[in-house]
C-alpha cells in the first residue's frame, strides 16, 4: 500500500496474472453474458459490452491488487460499460420517457404474486405458491425480466441478481437511494405481474377443477 | 438494543428491504423474531426468498454463444 513499497511486478508474476485473468474471464463468461443480456435484452449489444468490459478490465488490471476480487471487479466494469452506453442511447432515443409510460400503463403499484397464489380455495390442495415457484423455469423469469421497462429491469439486475446495495446502485445510476427503493418496489410488482400473466396465458394457473371459481386473476 | 414487537403490516412493508439486507441489525432482528412466531409472514417471506433466488439464478446466467467466446479468446491472445 505505501508508495515506496509498491512492488514491481516481475515478469513471471505478470504472466501468472495474465493466465489467471484469462481463466477467470472464460470461467465467468456465461455469467457475464447472461447479465449483459438481461441488461441490454439484445444479443449483439450483450456481446459488445462483454467484449468491451473484458478489454477495459485487461487494460486496467494493474489497478487490481488482489486477483481474488477479479469477479466482482469485472462485473462492476461490465455494469459501468452498460450504463454509459445506455445513457448515450437515452439521450438519443428518449428511452427514459418511453420506459416510464410503459410502466405506468402496465401495472398496479402493489401487485403480489403471493396474494394471487395464496388463496383459501387453492390451499386445500397443498401450497400453490411453492409449487408455482418450484415450477418456474429460468426462461420464464428471463422473459418476465425482459418485459420490464429499462429503468425497472436494470435495478432488479443490479440488486437482486448481482447483490448491489442500494447505495452502490444509486452511485452507478446517479440517482438518489430513495429512487432506487421506489424503482425496485415497482420493478418487483411489474416482474411478479408479468410472471402471473405468463402463467395464466400458458394455462398453468387456472383455478382447480376449472368450475366457476373466480380466482380474481382477471381483475 | 430495544426489541420491538412488529405488526404483520410493518413486517410486510419492510420485507423486501429486509431481504435486500438493507435494514440495520436491530430492525432485522425484530423481523427475524416476528418471522419465528408468525406463520403467515414466515410463509410469505419464504416465498419471496425463493422467487428472489430464482431471479438471481435466471437473471445472471445465459450460455455465451461460441461467437462471443471466440471473440474474447481473440482479444486475450492479442494481449
Ligand atoms: Zn406476521
Amino acid at each position: 500500500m505505501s508508495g515506496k513499497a509498491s512492488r514491481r511486478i516481475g515478469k513471471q508474476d505478470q504472466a501468472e496474472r495474465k493466465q489467471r485473468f484469462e481463466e477467470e474471464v472464460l470461467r465467468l463468461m456465461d455469467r457475464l453474458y447472461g447479465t449483459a443480456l438481461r441488461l441490454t435484452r439484445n444479443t449483439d449489444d450483450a456481446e459488445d459490452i462483454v467484449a468491451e468490459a473484458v478489454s477495459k478490465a485487461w487494460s486496467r488490471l494493474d489497478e487490481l491488487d488482489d486477483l481474488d476480487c477479479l469477479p466482482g471487479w469485472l462485473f462492476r466494469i461490465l455494469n459501468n460499460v452498460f450504463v454509459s452506453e445506455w445513457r448515450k442511447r437515452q439521450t438519443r432515443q428518449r428511452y427514459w420517457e418511453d420506459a416510464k409510460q410503459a410502466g405506468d400503463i402496465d401495472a398496479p403499484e402493489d401487485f403480489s404474486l403471493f396474494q394471487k397464489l395464496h388463496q383459501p380455495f387453492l390451499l386445500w390442495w397443498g401450497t400453490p405458491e411453492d409449487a408455482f415457484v418450484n415450477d418456474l423455469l429460468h426462461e420464464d423469469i428471463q422473459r418476465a425480466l425482459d418485459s420490464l421497462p429499462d429503468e425497472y429491469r436494470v435495478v432488479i439486475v443490479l440488486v437482486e441478481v448481482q447483490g448491489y446495495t442500494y447505495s452502490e446502485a444509486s452511485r452507478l445510476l446517479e440517482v438518489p437511494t430513495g429512487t432506487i427503493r421506489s424503482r425496485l418496489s415497482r420493478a418487483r410488482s411489474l416482474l411478479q405481474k408479468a410472471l402471473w400473466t405468463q402463467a395464466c396465458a400458458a394455462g398453468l394457473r387456472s383455478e382447480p377443477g376449472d368450475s366457476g371459481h373466480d380466482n380474481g386473476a382477471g381483475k | 438494543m430495544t426489541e420491538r414487537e412488529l405488526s404483520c403490516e410493518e413486517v410486510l412493508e419492510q420485507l423486501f428491504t429486509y431481504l435486500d439486507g438493507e435494514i440495520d441489525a436491530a430492525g432485522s432482528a425484530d423481523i427475524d423474531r416476528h418471522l419465528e412466531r408468525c406463520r403467515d409472514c414466515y410463509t410469505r417471506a419464504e416465498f419471496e426468498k425463493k422467487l428472489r433466488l430464482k431471479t438471481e439464478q435466471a437473471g445472471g446466467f445465459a450460455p455465451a454463444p461460441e461467437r462471443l467466446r471466440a471473440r474474447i479468446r481473440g482479444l486475450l491472445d492479442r494481449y
Side-chain angles (χ1 to χ4, degrees):
Chain A
M1 284 287 158
S2 84
K4 274 192 179 160
S6 80
R7 76 205 146 92
R8 275 196 166 266
I9 298 171
K11 257 198 178 137
Q12 179 167 6
D13 218 8
Q14 191 78 273
E16 268 173 30
R17 281 171 72 85
K18 176 169 192 264
Q19 195 189 346
R20 178 87 185 275
F21 179 81
E22 289 188 13
E23 283 167 5
E24 285 287 280
V25 163
L26 294 172
R27 184 179 69 82
L28 294 169
M29 194 51 62
D30 294 339
R31 284 180 51 207
L32 289 165
Y33 176 70
T35 304
L37 189 56
R38 294 285 83 71
L39 288 170
T40 60
R41 286 191 285 201
N42 173 296
T43 53
D44 288 342
D45 290 346
E47 291 181 32
D48 286 347
I49 71 167
V50 170
E52 191 178 338
V54 171
S55 293
K56 280 218 159 94
W58 173 254
S59 68
R60 304 202 320 233
L61 192 60
D62 287 346
E63 294 169 23
L64 186 69
D65 284 331
D66 184 356
L67 281 186
D68 288 342
C69 301
L70 186 61
W73 188 68
L74 256 176
F75 278 94
R76 258 154 232 280
I77 294 175
L78 181 80
N79 293 324
N80 279 311
V81 169
F82 165 73
V83 167
S84 59
E85 186 54 35
W86 185 34
R87 287 223 175 86
K88 278 184 230 156
R89 290 190 190 192
Q90 269 169 19
T91 48
R92 278 207 301 267
Q93 300 174 9
R94 320 192 81 219
Y95 258 10
W96 208 249
E97 279 77 3
D98 294 349
K100 268 200 184 123
Q101 275 178 358
D104 288 343
I105 294 161
D106 271 342
E109 197 64 59
D110 56 352
F111 186 93
S112 157
L113 250 186
F114 182 83
Q115 277 161 14
K116 285 283 182 216
L117 294 164
H118 195 75
Q119 302 280 345
F121 68 87
L122 289 170
L123 283 175
W124 46 261
W125 60 304
T127 49
E129 69 273 7
D130 273 355
F132 184 94
V133 178
N134 293 337
D135 289 351
L136 276 178
L137 302 174
H138 280 191
E139 61 190 64
D140 296 329
I141 295 178
Q142 288 164 352
R143 198 174 339 125
L145 279 171
D146 287 359
S147 77
L148 303 192
D150 289 343
E151 59 175 338
Y152 299 114
R153 193 181 65 260
V154 169
V155 289
I156 291 262
V157 174
L158 292 173
V159 174
E160 288 206 357
V161 176
Q162 301 188 63
Y164 265 48
T165 64
Y166 295 173
S167 70
E168 286 169 335
S170 133
R171 249 176 283 136
L172 176 67
L173 300 175
E174 293 176 7
V175 298
T177 51
T179 305
I180 298 294
R181 279 172 194 273
S182 58
R183 271 189 209 164
L184 255 182
S185 134
R186 187 110 168 95
R188 285 176 171 132
S189 181
L190 284 165
L191 179 67
Q192 296 203 354
K193 183 164 193 226
L195 288 169
W196 175 253
T197 308
Q198 283 172 198
C200 291
L204 295 176
R205 285 296 133 187
S206 57
E207 44 276 61
D210 218 23
S211 58
H213 268 303
D214 181 16
N215 65 0
K219 221 201 140 194
Chain B
M1 201 160 82
T2 47
E3 294 189 357
R4 229 165 65 71
E5 282 300 330
L6 297 176
S7 67
C8 294
E9 287 73 28
E10 288 174 304
V11 169
L12 292 186
E13 236 166 61
Q14 306 175 65
L15 184 59
F16 286 105
T17 329
Y18 164 81
L19 294 176
D20 290 337
E22 295 277 344
I23 289 189
D24 62 34
S28 189
D30 289 337
I31 294 182
D32 287 337
R33 249 180 301 106
H34 183 98
L35 294 181
E36 276 168 28
R37 288 182 209 143
C38 175
R39 192 193 165 88
D40 286 349
C41 289
Y42 174 82
T43 310
R44 174 70 187 269
E46 286 303 298
F47 172 81
E48 303 297 349
K49 251 190 238 174
K50 273 190 199 164
L51 184 60
R52 202 179 187 289
L53 183 63
K54 280 235 166 175
T55 304
E56 182 188 335
Q57 292 162 343
F61 183 91
E66 194 39 53
R67 181 175 62 169
L68 175 63
R69 286 186 174 272
R71 180 171 166 189
I72 298 295
R73 263 187 243 108
L75 273 176
L76 294 171
D77 285 346
R78 288 213 317 264
Y79 299 143

